[in-house]
Amino acid sequence: MITDIEDYFSRGCGRCERFVTPNCSARQWAQGLRRLRAYLKEAMAYAEAGIRPPREPRDVELPPELADALEADVELAEAFHALTPGRQRSQVIHLNSAKKSETRVSRIEALRSRILAGKGALER
């Protein structure tokens, strides 16, 4: 029985007649696993060096009804822009799920108190 992982991938699994032949599945996986190990070493080096991928700022595209409401109500605009980006997206996604403009306007009125309280659309 093979217990060392490197033996497993260099010699084969030892469970079938393909053992120690190039057709052994374990040998076919070895090349992919070598690439995976290389990727993992590269990622660990980045982590040890403290290198992180650059973050792209995501701007929230406001529905026209919300943009109009924010222009008309300064208090609401200040509260909305004080929300975290995730909570802003939460509000926008909730508003954009409505198909009709009238529904979005009524949702803005209903969500006003939540926005002023600094909460997302689905927070309690």
Side-chain angles (χ1 to χ4, degrees), residues 43-121:
M44 290 189 306
Y46 286 140
E48 288 173 6
I51 300 172
R52 299 188 66 124
R55 281 195 161 192
E56 297 176 13
R58 292 191 226 165
D59 291 329
V60 179
E61 190 172 325
L62 303 178
E65 297 82 7
L66 181 59
D68 293 342
L70 294 177
E71 284 179 22
D73 188 349
V74 177
E75 182 184 18
L76 182 64
E78 288 176 1
F80 182 80
H81 293 297
L83 292 174
T84 63
R87 287 183 174 141
Q88 287 179 8
R89 274 194 307 278
S90 166
Q91 299 286 357
V92 169
I93 289 170
H94 184 65
L95 291 173
N96 281 336
S97 65
K99 294 180 183 175
K100 292 184 176 183
S101 178
E102 299 83 28
T103 309
R104 285 191 289 270
V105 170
S106 67
R107 285 188 181 180
I108 291 170
E109 292 169 6
L111 291 172
R112 186 177 191 285
S113 62
R114 293 183 154 299
I115 293 172
L116 293 176
K119 295 185 177 184

Side-chain angles (χ1 to χ4, degrees), residues 10-11 26 29 31 33 36 40 52 65 90-92 115 117 119 122:
S10 63
R11 293 180 41 212
W29 298 334
Q31 184 179 3
L33 289 173
L36 180 60
L40 289 173
R52 299 188 66 124
E65 297 82 7
S90 166
Q91 299 286 357
V92 169
I115 293 172
K119 295 185 177 184
L122 302 177

